[in-house]
Amino acid sequence: MTAVGQSVARKEGLGKATGEAKYADDLTFPGTLHGRTIRSTVAHARITGVRLDFDPAGFTVVDHRDIPGSNHIALIEHDQPCLAAGEVRHVAEPILLLAHEDREALRGATVHVDYEPLPVVTDPEASPTTFKEILIEKGSLDKGFAKAEVLVEGTYRTGSQEHVYLEPNGVIAVPEAGGIALYGSLQCPFYVLKALKPVLGAAVANVRVVQTETGGGFGGKEEYPSVIAAHACLLALKSGRPVKIVYDREEDMWATTKRHPCVVRHRTGLTRDGRLVAMDVDVVMDGGAYCTLSPVVLSRGVIHAAGPYRCANTRIRGRATMTHTPPNGAFRGFGAPQTQFAMEVHMDRVAERLGVDPVKLRLKNALKPGDTTATGQKLGDDTSAVAVLRAAVKKSGYNRKRVSLKGTGAGIGLALFYHGSGFTGSGEVMLASTVALETTATGARILVANTEIGQGTRTMLAQIVADALGVPYEQVEVAQPDTSKVPDSGPTVASRTCMVVGGLLEKCAIAMRARLGGMSPSAWHANRGPLRLEQRYEAAATRQWDDATYRGDAYATFAWGCDVAEVSVDPVTYAARVVKFTAVQEFGRPIHPAMARGQIEGGSAQGIGWALMEHVVLKDGAMHNAQLTNYIIPTTLDTPPMDVIMLENPFGGGPFGAKGLGELPIDGPAPAIVNAIRHAGLDVRSIPALPEVLHASPPLDPPPPARAG
Ligand code: MOS
């Protein structure tokens, strides 16, 4: 064992550090045109006229009538047009595309659109249109509430969030012999391919999608790249030239997906000694104008909504509804941060009502091996809720500070959480991912569609293959994802890349090692010619899931976390500040400890931003603060010292014991912080917990010491 468990040099590290790495905007092709999108300025309207207010010579102009195939972006539903045809449902909806070789000329072109306004829905709870409804039922709610001696209710709200990947969305569509190649900054090359085919139709025989170096995704490049890719291809098709579209920050923030805002209502019954006997949870997510991925975001949200707790009688109802804002979409955590925020803030309120310590309440109810979740999934030995909770309490000095900080204007709070690894339910079976491994003159090459987006895919997969194949890490290379060359190993989402794709590669490497019979891959390659092996996902016979009833094994396994936040509240400005943060997380086993720590630190910082400062201001259905001067994310100075503890509990179903890690770290910070604010004396139930929210929050007993204003 030489590579796994070591913080080896990142595969793409040198290229990024030296500037060698080529991002979408670095690529040049002869004769490239620049593309621009003309977008709706109103939230809901009929388009009654479109007029070009410029001389069209030298321009390529595309509208919905130029689409050779079908005018929709393929995802779960086919409701989202590629280009508006007669009606717009949100501000920033694409209507017309322009291309020109000169960026200035392109920027100077003005297009006039006439609208006939239609009614606008902004409240997701009052929306008449529902994209998806889900019901999870376990035991009997009536019987549970009949046993309850204490009832606690509450409503919790979470706001939207912008991904703020360093590199905005960008693609280049290049006509080539027999078809078109799309290069771009994206998470899921085969999703883009699947979306391009219906739009381009039979007119384009060969379409391939190539992922370029990608400066961050966080879910924001899961579905949106299909839209910008389709636009660039349409312009390339009409002009016969390569077309590059790269959004600037403002367009990226104004037009692309965000985290789903969410409202969660809890009604909880307990025995007087603090045992959960009935949980009734209602979840509403704001899907925005088109369905996109809302059904699956809702799914992950509701499955995690009861938190990592045991309760025999549970009902979770969820719906994702339509409003006239840009569609909300995938964002790290995929609905689970929203519902677990509600659960964990609610748990501290329950503890308060019962007059028990929040840690004791959680210890009493935390899931243990052999317990079942809300969907009836029986948990295995890698269930670490109690272990992460105990470690976090100890490491942070929670019990001591709970006493010493009381009444000082500062507070300490914690959150216990979990996150399913890989696709939900039978998702992985339906994906049927395939990976490949081939010999090269110098070692072996990994062929997968999974993308390096800064999180370490290439490095981590190469570590797994190196050890399973028995070759040095340096001899394993990773092919650039190009859908004409790599098998479809599924999307780079859902905390699946390490556990699922890494697991397939481990099997593939073991098979190759057996075939090589003691010979090194390079020696085999030189003496016997190239060897290429594939490995396809096989359903685990023991895993059961019923999509109709939402019963069964929702995930292959779960990763576990407990975060502790120490927060000070400024008595004059009411600004809350995290002064110390402890994150204890169990995700099987870290393949690359330094990068795993980076995931936890980064996810925690992103969670701190979501909790305290990131505020998407919507005005008339549009993001009103689409710039980084007033959409505030945490800087180094806002990021507290972090204690990261990675507990190991190897999972037999993952490569070298690993589970998924990418999303877990963003589930805990917001509720830990709001619970710390509660300990400091303010009853906050929604985020972002901006100073004005704190100022308007009812004081608890005892109140914070200096309550100004
Ligand atoms: Mo994701 S939020 O599963 O890219």
Side-chain angles (χ1 to χ4, degrees):
M1 185 85 45
T2 55
V4 169
Q6 313 274 342
S7 294
V8 297
R10 298 180 67 134
K11 286 286 177 200
E12 87 292 8
L14 201 61
K16 281 180 176 167
T18 58
E20 277 293 302
K22 294 269 184 273
Y23 294 83
D25 204 22
D26 297 325
L27 295 187
T28 51
F29 293 91
T32 297
L33 304 179
H34 299 283
R36 184 185 150 200
T37 315
I38 305 299
R39 301 173 179 281
S40 169
T41 52
V42 299
H44 190 203
R46 223 181 314 281
I47 298 172
T48 53
V50 177
R51 194 180 69 235
L52 305 183
D53 285 340
F54 61 91
D55 175 4
F59 281 88
T60 302
V61 182
V62 162
D63 71 13
H64 67 95
R65 291 164 303 183
D66 294 297
I67 295 171
S70 171
N71 184 12
H72 73 266
I73 301 295
L75 216 52
I76 294 170
E77 301 290 340
H78 292 171
D79 61 336
Q80 185 179 20
C82 177
L83 289 167
E87 186 186 321
V88 285
R89 277 209 222 162
H90 65 87
V91 170
E93 180 157 358
I95 298 172
L96 200 75
L97 305 167
L98 306 177
H100 195 279
E101 57 190 15
D102 179 46
R103 277 185 176 178
E104 290 311 311
L106 190 64
R107 208 168 289 154
T110 52
V111 177
H112 185 86
V113 182
D114 289 313
Y115 301 101
E116 192 182 293
L118 293 167
V120 173
V121 176
T122 54
D123 178 2
E125 291 188 276
S127 171
T129 313
T130 297
F131 292 129
K132 176 79 178 177
E133 267 181 295
I134 298 174
L135 171 67
I136 297 174
E137 275 184 304
K138 180 190 189 187
S140 158
L141 211 54
D142 288 344
K143 282 188 190 150
F145 279 118
K147 275 188 222 149
E149 295 163 318
V150 180
L151 191 70
V152 185
E153 295 183 83
T155 301
Y156 309 90
R157 292 167 196 276
T158 55
S160 189
Q161 188 178 22
E162 161 59 31
H163 305 85
V164 202
Y165 23 64
L166 277 177
E167 181 205 20
N169 274 282
V171 299
I172 312 177
V174 184
E176 58 181 22
I180 205 158
L182 186 284
Y183 299 82
S185 179
L186 46 92
Q187 289 176 225
C188 315
F190 280 93
Y191 276 11
V192 176
L193 184 68
K194 196 176 159 198
L196 288 179
K197 282 183 170 170
V199 171
L200 299 175
V204 186
N206 296 308
V207 187
R208 66 188 178 105
V209 176
V210 185
Q211 185 233 0
T212 51
E213 199 71 62
T214 296
F218 309 115
K221 290 170 187 167
E222 177 167 343
E223 74 275 55
Y224 197 85
S226 296
V227 177
I228 181 172
H231 292 169
C233 286
L234 290 172
L235 285 167
L237 207 59
K238 191 158 183 187
S239 65
R241 290 166 66 170
V243 175
K244 179 186 277 189
I245 307 181
V246 177
Y247 294 166
D248 63 14
R249 182 65 63 186
E250 185 180 2
E251 184 172 19
D252 199 294
M253 294 177 89
W254 192 58
T256 75
T257 54
K258 308 266 177 291
R259 183 183 294 287
H260 288 71
C262 185
V263 185
V264 183
R265 294 197 157 75
H266 275 273
R267 198 162 64 93
T268 307
L270 300 107
T271 57
R272 204 161 300 284
D273 66 349
R275 198 160 45 81
L276 288 165
V277 290
M279 292 174 77
D280 189 11
V281 191
D282 185 74
V283 178
V284 179
M285 289 191 185
D286 181 348
Y290 295 105
C291 181
T292 65
L293 292 172
S294 293
V296 276
V297 172
L298 179 71
S299 165
R300 192 171 278 264
V302 291
I303 288 171
H304 289 80
Y309 303 109
R310 177 190 332 107
C311 180
N313 308 294
T314 304
R315 179 177 71 179
I316 303 164
R317 288 174 299 180
R319 64 197 156 98
T321 61
M322 195 270 267
T323 60
H324 292 103
T325 69
N328 291 309
F331 195 136
R332 192 181 207 165
F334 218 70
Q338 289 93 314
T339 59
Q340 294 197 86
F341 168 79
M343 185 67 225
E344 282 305 278
V345 175
H346 189 64
M347 277 303 259
D348 268 33
R349 292 190 51 244
V350 167
E352 225 170 73
R353 177 73 62 82
L354 291 168
V356 303
D357 176 74
V359 175
K360 290 208 178 103
L361 175 70
R362 286 178 173 86
L363 279 174
K364 180 167 254 163
N365 293 289
L367 289 168
K368 296 191 177 92
D371 284 340
T372 57
T373 64
T375 66
Q377 175 164 3
K378 191 167 179 205
L379 296 167
D381 289 338
D382 63 315
T383 300
S384 301
V386 170
V388 293
L389 177 58
R390 286 195 196 281
V393 167
K394 187 162 177 228
K395 182 70 188 171
S396 63
Y398 178 89
N399 289 332
R400 186 168 35 83
K401 287 181 179 168
R402 213 46 200 179
V403 177
S404 67
L405 291 177
K406 194 78 188 163
T408 65
I412 187 166
L414 62 73
L416 184 63
F417 51 98
Y418 66 155
H419 202 97
S421 298
F423 261 35
T424 304
S426 38
E428 293 294 346
V429 178
M430 287 187 301
L431 272 179
S433 298
T434 303
V435 304
L437 197 57
E438 63 187 15
T439 58
T440 68
T442 53
R445 184 182 296 123
I446 293 169
L447 298 149
V448 292
N450 295 93
T451 52
E452 170 69 56
I453 56 175
Q455 85 286 43
T457 293
R458 274 179 224 155
T459 306
M460 169 271 293
L461 294 181
Q463 287 176 280
I464 290 168
V465 166
D467 284 5
L469 194 53
V471 302
Y473 167 73
E474 292 71 26
Q475 290 181 13
V476 181
E477 56 183 275
V478 186
Q480 181 177 32
D482 173 336
T483 58
S484 70
K485 298 193 176 113
V486 299
D488 185 356
S489 54
T492 303
V493 304
S495 306
R496 68 182 293 276
T497 308
C498 179
M499 187 187 77
V500 178
V501 182
L504 291 173
L505 280 168
E506 183 191 30
K507 279 192 189 146
C508 200
I510 289 169
M512 181 174 269
R513 189 175 192 165
R515 280 280 285 281
L516 296 175
M519 207 182 265
S520 76
S522 53
W524 179 288
H525 195 82
N527 298 321
R528 307 211 188 162
L531 173 66
R532 185 182 192 275
L533 294 185
E534 286 196 352
Q535 181 71 44
R536 190 183 157 102
Y537 183 85
E538 283 159 21
T542 50
R543 225 180 122 191
Q544 303 289 332
W545 174 257
D546 183 344
D547 210 46
T549 60
Y550 257 65
R551 303 299 304 157
D553 302 326
Y555 297 99
T557 188
F558 294 86
W560 307 86
C562 184
D563 288 349
V564 185
E566 226 180 293
V567 172
S568 69
V569 179
D570 187 303
V572 176
T573 66
Y574 278 81
R577 187 176 176 80
V578 185
V579 294
K580 179 89 218 282
F581 194 84
T582 306
V584 178
Q585 322 217 324
E586 186 269 284
F587 45 97
R589 182 170 174 226
I591 300 294
H592 190 294
M595 289 196 311
R597 182 175 296 267
Q599 285 291 305
I600 296 170
E601 290 177 351
S604 298
Q606 210 164 26
I608 290 169
W610 185 48
L612 290 179
M613 52 192 91
E614 298 189 34
H615 188 205
V616 174
V617 181
L618 281 173
K619 203 173 156 194
D620 302 324
M623 186 175 181
H624 204 56
N625 56 334
Q627 63 248 325
L628 291 173
T629 47
N630 55 2
Y631 181 81
I632 307 298
I633 64 169
T635 64
T636 317
L637 294 178
D638 303 303
T639 310
M642 288 187 194
D643 251 340
V644 173
I645 293 115
M646 299 183 274
L647 288 190
E648 295 196 16
N649 191 358
F651 168 56
F656 297 93
K659 311 180 194 173
L661 169 63
E663 298 174 292
L664 177 76
I666 203 164
D667 290 337
I673 289 165
V674 166
N675 286 339
I677 293 172
R678 183 168 200 88
H679 184 228
L682 290 170
D683 184 6
V684 171
R685 313 229 183 139
S686 68
I687 53 169
L690 303 170
E692 50 268 45
V693 172
L694 265 61
H695 185 257
S697 298
L700 293 156
D701 185 33
R707 192 173 163 85

